[in-house]
Amino acid sequence: MSETSALAGPVEIVGVGLIGTSIALACRRAGLEVLLTDTSPDHVRTASGLGAGRARTPEDDPQLVVVAVPPDALGAVIAQVLDAAGPDTVVTDVGSVKAGPLAAVAAHRSVSRYVGSHPMAGTEHSGPLSANAELFDGRPWAITPGPDATSSATRIVEALALVCGAVPVHLSPAEHDRAVARTSHVPHLMASLVAGTLAGASADHLALSGTGVRDVTRVAGGDPRLYSQIIGGNAAAVAALLAEVRDRLDLALEAVTGGDRVGLESLLAYGQAGTRAIPGKHGAAPQPMAAVRVSVPDQPGELARLFADAGDSGVNIEDVRIDHDPGRPVGLVELDVVAGRAEELHAALESRGWTTHR
Amino acid sequence: MSETSALAGPVEIVGVGLIGTSIALACRRAGLEVLLTDTSPDHVRTASGLGAGRARTPEDDPQLVVVAVPPDALGAVIAQVLDAAGPDTVVTDVGSVKAGPLAAVAAHRSVSRYVGSHPMAGTEHSGPLSANAELFDGRPWAITPGPDATSSATRIVEALALVCGAVPVHLSPAEHDRAVARTSHVPHLMASLVAGTLAGASADHLALSGTGVRDVTRVAGGDPRLYSQIIGGNAAAVAALLAEVRDRLDLALEAVTGGDRVGLESLLAYGQAGTRAIPGKHGAAPQPMAAVRVSVPDQPGELARLFADAGDSGVNIEDVRIDHDPGRPVGLVELDVVAGRAEELHAALESRGWTTHR
């Protein structure tokens, strides 16, 4: 079974940005010695000041080195670390794409001590000051050993994920890259294409924007430079899936143009089935949910009052959406609850003076 | 200027489902006489029992008839109503597509008394029992007179939107259809294509799903039959825009396949610009926002406590997201606030014992 005892430290972090420093803090929380390395001495001082560890010295001999540098630099830095490290040091990285870095070191004499990994954690901020030890709590953390990796190296990297509170998910590097092409990179590109159709559209037309188009395009607000590195670094898997999507888009276009309602409905039904394939909360099968819609005055404290009243009802709120339609004098808040409890929440909120909608 | 006094009633609602009954309730709230018609006598009894009006009799002579039947039936029902109505009766409909219904009655001798319209309000539920008078509060309501419509008929339909609390947006039928192709129908189709790539994917791969793919695919959960009617009814506008998107998808595919990072980054930057074109809250220009991330135990009452503490801070919460990553023992809640107030909210929540992340 999985356990954290394989990891005794010291752990060296190469690249103390958001992810690297967060891993350092989680390791310190677990009582491990942490060594910090970065091309910027300022970053090391900052991370050190946050309690993330101390600057590495030439005498140190880490058990595990975690490479947390930008996507395009990964291969070269992993190779350098393998060159310089002691004979027992294990090396991992935390990049968003896994086949590329492995290929860069496949011929290295010490490749058996390299095991790639990928924590699925938010990166909308950057730098050590944004770091925190809880960033990975309960998140999936892909562990992607190559064919030459030793099982003891894999265990040590898995132990790192567990020390950080994450849920290890074992995949080969190629499988990982196909998975994130599907769950992240192609969705990002498609959102970006939809968002592109809004650039330059007339204000009169955009005035009809509802919550749907906002949801679809939200991720396209991410940094184009970073996502170009991530998506570009996973070119083969992204291109294969994107070509499939293009073929289905052609079918959709044919169905729309040709008035083929049955074909169109079947494409939409296939998509609906796909939304149900996404794992539900905490990995459970998705439960049928119902939305309770409530009008909320747009003032500080009103959401607090709503959630206090919802909390008193004893019905757990699974998700929340706030409607931002233009011109709306009050906000519309949708509270998602397990379908069987929706009536109870409606009644509880109405009895406290809230206007709810079904 | 816009005013509601042009509408004196009676208002007849043909089709007392969610939208029709909600309009009826809003008209009753304004003191107008409301007449109800539906192929289902049960629906009329139900709506009547909710206080939405009374069943229409042959002697009634409504000032305005609102046709609220399924998309594919609109043209025929509008024509029947124009045939049967008195010489001064104005007719509107509330369908999601506007050129088709107008074309169906373009040759009618009374077409000058028909003015299409489209309230942008949620339709995830159906039937009169889901109706409420506040459904349209602050929502855009497109008013789409054809070339033969009289200005007095247009004023009466605009007055209906105002009576319902909506914000009238004037567009020609063709403009409306191009606008919703862009803000609703193409985003829906693209979300559906992304969701389709998840159907049948392996559970190991889907375990890496984060909030991004959930946002992108959410609308694809809608009823395929209804959306096939809506999108199929707007074929020309959807096909034109979808063909543009297909061409840009081909460019994206070329950039990915050819390792053209500059081209890929430029496509992503264009999408990022598009996300900024969507009107912000209440029609204002979008303000720079910052996310304050908070770990919240997954138990009833904890969200209430969080929002109470956030409310006490005096910082207004603009948006809320709850992270549902599989395996996560606590929920991660993201509170969006105006960027300049984020530090204040961080400090206020930390001082009350919350773990916040930057």
Side-chain angles (χ1 to χ4, degrees):
Chain A
M1 291 307 299
S2 311
E3 43 180 338
T4 60
S5 59
L7 188 62
V11 176
E12 180 185 357
I13 307 292
V14 177
V16 290
L18 167 71
I19 300 289
T21 307
S22 296
I23 293 171
L25 290 169
C27 288
R28 292 292 305 132
R29 181 182 62 183
L32 297 171
E33 185 177 5
V34 177
L35 314 170
L36 306 174
T37 299
D38 198 290
T39 50
S40 152
D42 270 359
H43 270 33
V44 172
R45 267 193 299 274
T46 302
S48 194
L50 293 169
R54 63 170 173 81
R56 183 193 168 155
T57 67
E59 292 69 43
D60 288 317
D61 183 22
Q63 181 198 19
L64 173 65
V65 180
V66 180
V67 178
V69 301
D72 281 352
L74 280 172
V77 175
I78 295 166
Q80 281 166 23
V81 169
L82 284 173
D83 285 344
D88 297 324
T89 300
V90 169
V91 180
T92 188
D93 74 301
V94 293
S96 308
V97 175
K98 303 271 51 101
L102 177 64
V105 296
H108 197 285
R109 61 184 157 76
S110 304
V111 67
S112 65
R113 293 187 280 111
Y114 165 68
V115 175
S117 78
H118 179 202
M120 313 299 294
T123 56
E124 70 276 42
H125 305 286
S126 57
L129 281 171
S130 302
N132 71 83
E134 290 81 25
L135 188 64
F136 312 102
D137 272 5
R139 297 270 187 169
W141 187 314
I143 313 284
T144 61
D148 300 314
T150 66
S151 57
S152 69
T154 303
R155 266 198 306 278
I156 287 169
V157 175
E158 184 181 62
L160 174 72
L162 292 169
V163 159
C164 290
V167 179
V169 177
H170 288 263
L171 291 166
S172 75
E175 266 186 314
H176 167 276
D177 290 357
R178 284 196 298 272
V180 292
R182 197 177 292 273
T183 60
S184 173
H185 304 167
V186 165
H188 192 105
L189 275 174
M190 295 287 278
S192 190
L193 290 169
V194 174
T197 70
L198 306 176
S202 82
D204 261 13
H205 290 200
L206 292 171
L208 301 186
S209 301
T211 52
V213 66
R214 288 178 168 80
D215 281 349
V216 173
T217 58
R218 185 168 293 120
V219 293
D223 178 15
R225 184 130 175 274
L226 174 65
Y227 280 95
S228 159
Q229 282 193 30
I230 292 174
I231 294 170
N234 195 17
V238 171
L241 188 59
L242 201 56
E244 274 182 38
V245 171
R246 197 261 320 272
D247 291 347
R248 292 186 70 82
L249 197 158
D250 279 337
L251 290 178
L253 190 51
E254 262 176 49
V256 171
T257 311
D260 172 11
R261 293 288 178 89
V262 175
L264 183 55
E265 189 178 327
S266 130
L267 275 160
L268 293 168
Y270 192 65
Q272 191 189 38
T275 64
R276 294 175 179 157
I278 302 176
K281 199 177 176 189
H282 303 183
Q287 274 192 286
M289 303 293 286
V292 175
R293 305 162 78 220
V294 190
S295 294
V296 178
D298 185 15
Q299 290 158 15
E302 286 300 303
L303 271 176
R305 198 163 65 80
L306 172 62
F307 280 88
D309 289 348
D312 287 349
S313 77
V315 180
N316 203 16
I317 309 298
E318 304 285 342
D319 204 351
V320 177
R321 286 183 299 282
I322 300 186
D323 192 325
H324 282 194
D325 274 0
R328 208 170 173 84
V330 294
L332 191 70
V333 173
E334 295 198 356
L335 305 174
D336 283 350
V337 298
V338 173
R341 311 282 310 264
E343 277 311 311
E344 196 178 336
L345 183 58
H346 268 297
L349 293 177
E350 288 277 353
S351 77
R352 300 197 175 201
W354 293 98
T355 303
T356 68
H357 318 295
R358 279 141 218 260
Chain B
M1 289 306 301
S2 310
E3 44 179 339
T4 59
S5 59
L7 188 63
V11 175
E12 181 185 358
I13 308 291
V14 177
V16 290
L18 167 70
I19 300 289
T21 307
S22 295
I23 294 172
L25 290 168
C27 289
R28 292 293 303 133
R29 180 182 62 183
L32 296 171
E33 185 176 4
V34 177
L35 315 169
L36 306 173
T37 299
D38 198 291
T39 50
S40 152
D42 271 358
H43 271 33
V44 172
R45 267 193 299 274
T46 302
S48 195
L50 294 168
R54 63 170 174 82
R56 183 192 168 154
T57 67
E59 291 70 42
D60 288 317
D61 183 21
Q63 182 198 17
L64 172 66
V65 181
V66 180
V67 178
V69 300
D72 281 351
L74 280 172
V77 175
I78 295 166
Q80 281 166 22
V81 169
L82 285 172
D83 285 344
D88 297 324
T89 300
V90 169
V91 180
T92 189
D93 74 301
V94 293
S96 308
V97 175
K98 301 271 53 99
L102 177 63
V105 296
H108 197 285
R109 60 182 159 78
S110 303
V111 67
S112 65
R113 292 186 281 112
Y114 165 68
V115 175
S117 78
H118 179 203
M120 313 301 293
T123 57
E124 69 275 44
H125 304 288
S126 57
L129 281 170
S130 302
N132 71 83
E134 290 81 25
L135 188 64
F136 312 102
D137 273 3
R139 296 271 186 167
W141 188 313
I143 314 284
T144 62
D148 300 314
T150 65
S151 57
S152 70
T154 303
R155 266 197 306 277
I156 288 168
V157 176
E158 184 181 61
L160 174 72
L162 292 169
V163 159
C164 291
V167 180
V169 177
H170 288 263
L171 292 165
S172 74
E175 267 186 313
H176 168 276
D177 289 356
R178 283 196 298 272
V180 292
R182 196 177 292 273
T183 60
S184 173
H185 304 168
V186 165
H188 192 106
L189 276 174
M190 295 286 278
S192 189
L193 290 169
V194 173
T197 69
L198 307 176
S202 82
D204 260 14
H205 290 200
L206 291 171
L208 301 186
S209 301
T211 52
V213 66
R214 288 178 169 78
D215 281 348
V216 173
T217 57
R218 186 168 293 121
V219 294
D223 178 15
R225 184 129 175 276
L226 175 64
Y227 280 95
S228 159
Q229 283 193 30
I230 292 175
I231 294 170
N234 196 17
V238 170
L241 187 60
L242 201 56
E244 274 182 40
V245 171
R246 197 261 320 272
D247 292 347
R248 292 186 69 83
L249 196 158
D250 279 337
L251 291 178
L253 190 50
E254 262 176 49
V256 171
T257 311
D260 172 12
R261 293 288 177 89
V262 175
L264 183 55
E265 189 178 327
S266 132
L267 274 160
L268 293 168
Y270 192 65
Q272 191 189 38
T275 63
R276 294 175 179 157
I278 302 177
K281 199 177 177 189
H282 303 182
Q287 275 191 285
M289 304 294 285
V292 174
R293 305 163 77 220
V294 190
S295 294
V296 177
D298 186 16
Q299 290 159 14
E302 286 300 303
L303 272 176
R305 198 163 64 80
L306 172 62
F307 279 87
D309 289 348
D312 287 349
S313 76
V315 180
N316 203 16
I317 309 298
E318 304 286 343
D319 204 352
V320 177
R321 285 183 299 282
I322 300 186
D323 192 326
H324 281 194
D325 274 0
R328 206 171 175 84
V330 294
L332 190 70
V333 174
E334 296 198 355
L335 305 174
D336 283 350
V337 298
V338 172
R341 310 282 310 264
E343 276 311 310
E344 197 179 335
L345 183 59
H346 267 298
L349 293 178
E350 288 277 353
S351 78
R352 300 196 175 202
W354 294 97
T355 303
T356 68
H357 318 296
R358 280 141 216 258

